[in-house]
Amino acid sequence: MSPHPWRTRASREIYRNKWLRLREDIAELPDGRTTIYGVVTPGVGQCVGVLPFLNDGRVVMIRQYRYIYGEGHRWEMPTGGMHAGETPEEAAQRELQEEIGYRAGRFEWISSYYTSKSVVEETAHLFLGFDLMPSSLPQDDTEFLEIEAMPFAHVLDMVLRSDIRDSMTVTAVLLAARRLGL
Amino acid sequence: MSPHPWRTRASREIYRNKWLRLREDIAELPDGRTTIYGVVTPGVGQCVGVLPFLNDGRVVMIRQYRYIYGEGHRWEMPTGGMHAGETPEEAAQRELQEEIGYRAGRFEWISSYYTSKSVVEETAHLFLGFDLMPSSLPQDDTEFLEIEAMPFAHVLDMVLRSDIRDSMTVTAVLLAARRLGL
């Protein structure tokens, strides 16, 4: 039997900026007690990541400054938040064009999962991207990106030793390795 | 060359409860412009997950109500936030005892990664747990857990079809499958 659901008795917004919202709910537990529950929603609560394969088997990776961790030396695949009204595939196509200047002729969905453990509402949709064609959209003006095509085996190695630490990249690379038999 | 670092010009706390903090920084970009940056820190900003193997090859999974997604039917491995002063291994041992009533004779570290894309400060440390021995600690009083030992192959199958959606469980199961050659 699945665990009993909780009920939301009240909800109020604490904070909102362009990139995240925080609300505080009063939640009723299965035993009738109540607790406060802070819920953080980054953007629309959904994001995408694409591992983009060139025809020679290399993947296109990006590097940017990650403010929260104070570091800019780790590689990631293109990722980003979905916009309201977009499908995951549309968001994936837009992010590719904004971040690496390609669009994909074909996407292969590999996973949808919840990035964080309990207080952050964020579902990530992961794709492999194939048949890349040059096509650009303007970059987000707070992003400063470095781009490099790398052999997939090298990217997998960085994941296996936790040098790559971005959740979406880790998951997509491990799933891609299964499909490639690597 | 790695991307240029950003500078923090100012920082103020917006909200804090027992489980998360939110602060708003004024960050200076590499081109000298500034932007606000909201940073969410769940707990101490670090969490752990353990995939606990019984000697017969089954793994011990838990199920609880996940308030943010309004669902309680998805299985996860034991996970939880680190406490101040704990090492990742100590937190892993405590979570096992609180959530499934076992301690592990041996941990194998498999990954440390950043769960979320940009606005959440959360590093997850993942372990495989072996040589389990009965040992209990009281559960968190807002957790209502269901526990079941399952064949690893079944858990892997749930990950591959995105029925299991918890980030730490997805990553740990994929890494365990590599080590087991499955």
Side-chain angles (χ1 to χ4, degrees), chain A residues 104-125:
Chain A
R106 182 168 62 88
F107 287 110
E108 200 173 302
W109 173 86
I110 48 172
S111 180
S112 293
Y113 73 101
Y114 307 145
T115 62
S116 203
K117 198 169 44 54
S118 55
V119 297
V120 179
E121 176 193 14
E122 188 176 53
T123 302
H125 305 281

Side-chain angles (χ1 to χ4, degrees), chain B residues 60-81:
Chain B
V60 184
M61 302 289 284
I62 64 175
R63 190 152 73 165
Q64 62 185 309
Y65 189 70
R66 285 303 192 184
Y67 179 71
I68 284 188
Y69 296 101
E71 55 181 37
H73 59 281
R74 297 187 192 276
W75 292 96
E76 305 175 3
M77 67 185 186
T79 66

Side-chain angles (χ1 to χ4, degrees), chain B residues 7-91:
Chain B
R7 283 202 323 131
T8 303
R9 285 211 188 156
S11 188
R12 70 187 172 108
E13 183 169 281
I14 302 283
Y15 176 78
R16 176 192 292 262
N17 68 24
K18 190 178 164 188
W19 300 279
L20 71 89
R21 281 177 295 138
L22 169 64
R23 68 176 209 261
E24 185 183 80
D25 290 358
I26 308 295
E28 183 183 309
L29 308 181
D31 60 11
R33 288 178 304 148
T34 59
T35 183
I36 61 163
Y37 206 108
V39 179
V40 175
T41 307
V44 301
Q46 298 196 69
C47 54
V48 297
V50 189
L51 188 62
F53 278 85
L54 296 172
N55 290 336
D56 62 8
R58 288 182 303 162
V59 292
V60 184
M61 302 289 284
I62 64 175
R63 190 152 73 165
Q64 62 185 309
Y65 189 70
R66 285 303 192 184
Y67 179 71
I68 284 188
Y69 296 101
E71 55 181 37
H73 59 281
R74 297 187 192 276
W75 292 96
E76 305 175 3
M77 67 185 186
T79 66
M82 280 171 60
H83 294 176
E86 278 183 330
T87 65
E89 286 84 352
E90 286 164 355

